[in-house]
Amino acid sequence: MEHITTPKVENVKLLDRYANRKAANGTLYLTATHLIYVEASAEVRKETWILHHHIAAIEKLPVTTAGYHLLIHCKNFHVAHFVFGQERDCHEVYTSLLKLSQPVKPEELYAFSYNPKMSKENRETGWKLIDLKLDYQRMGIPNDYWEITDVNKDYEVCSTYPPEIVVPRAASKAVVIGSSKFRSRGRIPVLSYLYKENNAAICRCSQPLAGFSARCLEDEQMLQAIREANPGSPFMYVVDTRPKLNAMANRAAGKGYENEDNYDNIRFKFIGIENIHVMRSSLQKLLEVCEMKSPSMSDFLTGLENSGWLRHIKAVMDAGVFLAKAVKDEKASVLVHCSDGWDRTAQVCSLASLLLDPFYRTFKGFMVLIEKEWIAMGHKFSHRCGHLDGDPKEVSPVFTQFIECVWQLMQQFPCAFEFNERFLLEIHDHVYSCQFGNFLGTCHKEREDLRIFEKTHSLWPFLLQKRQEFRNPLYRGFTAYQELLPNTLPFSFQFWCGMYNRFDKGMHPKQRVLDHLLGCMSKKVQLEDNASELENKLPFLDGPSPGEACSLPKAGRAPSKTPMLNTPQDYGGDPPLALSNGASAGELDLPAAAQKHEENPPHPCDLPDAVDILDSEARDGKPRRR
């Protein structure tokens, strides 16, 4: 609180970038964790909350006749434009936010003060929700070829790997340690995913310290052990996700890539995903396009193309598809690396796993995937997300690109994922919010040093509590889709308005498919509950038996077994209760139908008809009329 000199400023205007309406007038508050803006003139109380850790940049614009302007850009792509009447107020808010949004010490992050009134036992249980050993057991590990080893328990092999890693059983400790000395930052080849159908594996590591001629017997033995752990294939792929030119430049610095002459039966391939600096620049260009107030179609499309953003998304997707095809179709194991093996490698390995395994397309599975491939394996969240005041050149939207790749897959396979777009947005928000401890630091060792597991809370239980809001109503179940093979031709990729213009209300459709489907499902569950309650009351009433009076559905049907509704065109009625992206609950009223239902409850015999109609519509895909 010592950074806050002016905790409250009245008569502050909030401009809307796209809506041609009068600027809102209200009061701005600064707290220890949030900037809160409360509109004074709104009929329904409207509040805008901006977490200090979400703030990426603050800019004081030139003074105008309207007042003193303050423009705030957020890491979750929210842009807030405030206008103050007094220059002193504007400057004091500006200086306070500069300090509040750029903490210097990890202990100043929100997660260390966040207190959801949870018991110590529940907090500890939350951290145990995701157990990576169970995921490896699900893959059939340990087995004759792979083992979980604690060779890194004291971080002697690699300081950025977790204490337990999965390596070939044939690789001795001497081979593991020898290989670590030949790999950048000691990041040896370890298992990422095992495809049980044919024993083909996806492994990951960092670049070798090969230079132009250096070689390492232990590293060669390690790759041989990986290849031999898959008896069904005579060769394995080694995939370098960097452009070849970049890899050759690293060679001149004593690093580089594997020489095929030194490794038995490997096929080497470059993928060509650009580095973190290119991606950071590309995102900045994309956001400039998003912030154009009245672009022509030509300006928008030209700006989108010049940003190169979708081209980079396609490159990551192509790499994931190549890995999945190699594993499934060619039955070959694949070793993946970039420079240090914690950016592009994480993107490609996690995306390939998602394509191959439907478990990772469920709520729990997606959490496991992020925990395994990103958090445990040392993606530098603290640096890439700019959690602390540090080198801006280390910031890059690597995880954002992965989240977008998942969204692009959801557009091509809308029935293959248990979760919806909001789930992705919520995770993306909390990667930057620092409200939970999962994404703090750069690796497992650093999180242990910060005592994250003792002092902060885990994000995953929080997300599971909200799973109804994040459900995909079109999901067809775990076994409906096994492997996914997306189309990666250029026309298959879309601009994600829901991410990059999420908070611009005027940019979104008037009727949202997801809102409508979730609303239909919510109404159906409510009708089933009402019918069950009335059925339970019938035995206590005089008159005909339940079977003679009316045919009621069975009580207690679980919502999870509700048939999935089809397209929103099949349904009419009132708007759903679910909120659109960026909307606050206080801005919306209950639907008129819900109020009418409270005033005039339906007759008991009408309820089963309504339920049966929804059931029939769900099966037939056509609305029934009464």
Side-chain angles (χ1 to χ4, degrees), residues 125 134 307 493 569:
T125 301
L134 293 178
S307 75
F493 295 89
Q569 292 92 327

Side-chain angles (χ1 to χ4, degrees), residues 203-261:
C203 298
R204 55 182 294 175
C205 60
S206 61
Q207 64 184 335
L209 305 179
F212 289 103
S213 60
R215 58 187 297 182
C216 172
L217 178 61
E218 290 86 357
D219 194 68
E220 293 165 21
Q221 290 173 341
M222 174 65 89
L223 266 66
Q224 181 180 350
I226 292 173
R227 178 177 56 78
E228 292 177 349
N230 178 18
S233 176
F235 72 95
M236 66 177 285
Y237 281 106
V238 176
V239 173
D240 191 329
T241 59
R242 300 169 294 182
K244 185 175 182 179
L245 194 62
N246 296 24
M248 292 181 69
N250 274 277
R251 222 178 194 187
K255 300 177 184 179
Y257 52 92
E258 292 80 359
N259 185 337
E260 287 184 86
D261 295 334

Side-chain angles (χ1 to χ4, degrees), residues 24 46 100 106 117 126 140 178 189 209-210 247 346 353 446 484 551 564 580:
K46 291 184 180 179
L100 292 166
K117 301 292 187 286
L209 305 179
S353 299
E446 189 172 327
L484 301 182
S551 178
M564 294 300 168
S580 298

Side-chain angles (χ1 to χ4, degrees), residues 19-33:
N20 294 320
R21 62 181 179 86
K22 186 179 179 182
N25 188 63
T27 303
L28 185 147
Y29 300 88
L30 288 183
T31 72
T33 57

Side-chain angles (χ1 to χ4, degrees), residues 13 61-70 81-87 90:
K13 291 183 173 62
L61 302 179
V63 63
T64 67
T65 54
Y68 300 86
H69 298 251
L70 194 64
H81 189 165
F82 295 104
V83 182
F84 296 80
Q86 301 293 324
E87 195 277 336
C90 180

